[in-house]
Amino acid sequence: EDQVTQSPEALRLQEGESSSLNCSYTVSGLRGLFWYRQDPGKGPEFLFTLYSAGEEKEKERLKATLTKKESFLHITAPKPEDSATYLCALEGETGANNLFFGTGTRLTVIP
Amino acid sequence: NAGVMQNPRHLVRRRGQEARLRCSPMKGHSHVYWYRQLPEEGLKFMVYLQKENIIDESGMPKERFSAEFPKEGPSILRIQQVVRGDSAAYFCASSPARGNSPLHFGNGTRLTVT
């Protein structure tokens, strides 16, 4: 059965204090691993797709990496506007029609 | 989240009433997905539709829930005889193709059952 575990559940950072969010997964045949950002009262906003171990993608202060068992979302020098819940989701071969989401990491960046 | 339009944003229903949630996908997207988000839980897949067809409804309860995506007009998620446990945020997403193209989500409909 596909599983996604995100840690930590919540993270408070000072502005400028870099850190990483973790997404551990088990899946039978990974078709894609996705990172989304969700602000309160809004829908998830797509950030990255990773397809194979060793792949990395960057966007502004965010960088996503992928291994065979986990993915990291690295946040470099975060700003208060980076505060949000970050969701990891995977698409496996058995559930090729849908994404399986983790429960997210709630990030708060303090000025 | 511009592009995928959901309405209403908030919906209050009494137990036993019907709830109808609407979703218009992004322009050019013919694949629609419905997800439900309960407090402190992750997004859970409910149903995947293409125009006039239900492709996968494996995540949708067998009773009281139905979905459609007609040739013309928005996709509709319908919940009959709502119960308190149906209170949740319901999100619609769309994509241009099946498979691992990213889903684009709307801002959801928050259903409260009193």
Side-chain angles (χ1 to χ4, degrees):
Chain A
E1 184 178 306
D2 297 349
Q3 284 205 350
V4 177
T5 303
Q6 291 191 248
S7 61
E9 288 187 15
L11 181 63
R12 287 172 66 89
L13 298 174
Q14 290 291 135
E15 184 172 0
E17 179 186 2
S18 301
S19 188
S20 296
L21 283 53
N22 178 264
C23 172
S24 299
Y25 67 90
T26 54
V27 64
S28 55
L30 180 69
R31 292 167 61 94
L33 187 139
F34 301 80
W35 282 97
Y36 283 83
R37 167 193 172 128
Q38 186 174 23
D39 292 292
K42 299 282 186 70
E45 176 187 348
F46 171 72
L47 294 173
F48 303 109
T49 308
L50 301 165
Y51 296 106
S52 57
E55 190 175 1
E56 298 183 353
K57 288 196 176 167
E58 284 189 68
K59 179 180 177 181
E60 295 180 355
R61 295 178 292 282
L62 300 177
K63 178 180 172 181
T65 62
L66 181 66
T67 72
K68 288 186 178 179
K69 293 184 177 180
E70 56 192 350
S71 177
F72 290 94
L73 185 65
H74 307 277
I75 303 177
T76 302
K79 298 182 178 181
E81 53 262 42
D82 295 322
S83 297
T85 296
Y86 290 86
L87 302 172
C88 170
L90 58 83
E91 184 175 17
E93 288 178 348
T94 55
N97 294 316
N98 67 84
L99 297 182
F100 190 87
F101 279 86
T103 53
T105 293
R106 188 169 63 254
L107 174 66
T108 304
V109 182
I110 305 161
Chain B
N1 296 315
V4 179
M5 303 300 295
Q6 290 189 249
N7 65 82
R9 289 297 312 277
H10 300 275
L11 183 61
V12 180
R13 285 288 178 265
R14 290 199 179 99
R15 278 180 298 169
Q17 291 185 319
E18 178 179 290
R20 278 180 177 249
L21 288 61
R22 288 177 290 277
C23 168
S24 296
M26 283 183 73
K27 188 175 181 180
H29 288 192
S30 59
H31 301 249
V32 166
Y33 309 77
W34 286 93
Y35 283 76
R36 177 164 64 176
Q37 188 173 42
L38 292 166
E40 307 305 323
E41 292 189 21
L43 284 152
K44 303 290 186 192
F45 167 76
M46 299 182 73
V47 61
Y48 161 42
L49 310 102
Q50 283 183 268
K51 283 286 187 183
E52 301 184 275
N53 288 303
I54 296 175
I55 308 300
D56 182 351
E57 57 183 349
S58 59
M60 197 158 67
K62 296 276 188 282
E63 298 181 354
R64 303 187 298 106
F65 285 73
S66 62
E68 63 177 13
F69 189 15
K71 187 176 180 181
E72 301 291 337
S75 175
I76 306 285
L77 180 67
R78 181 182 177 206
I79 311 172
Q80 295 178 289
Q81 299 175 331
V82 296
V83 300
R84 288 221 171 105
D86 296 333
S87 295
Y90 292 82
F91 290 95
C92 170
S94 71
S95 70
R98 179 177 173 168
N100 53 13
S101 53
L103 303 187
H104 297 268
F105 284 83
N107 283 329
T109 293
R110 276 143 191 87
L111 172 66
T112 302
V113 180
T114 60

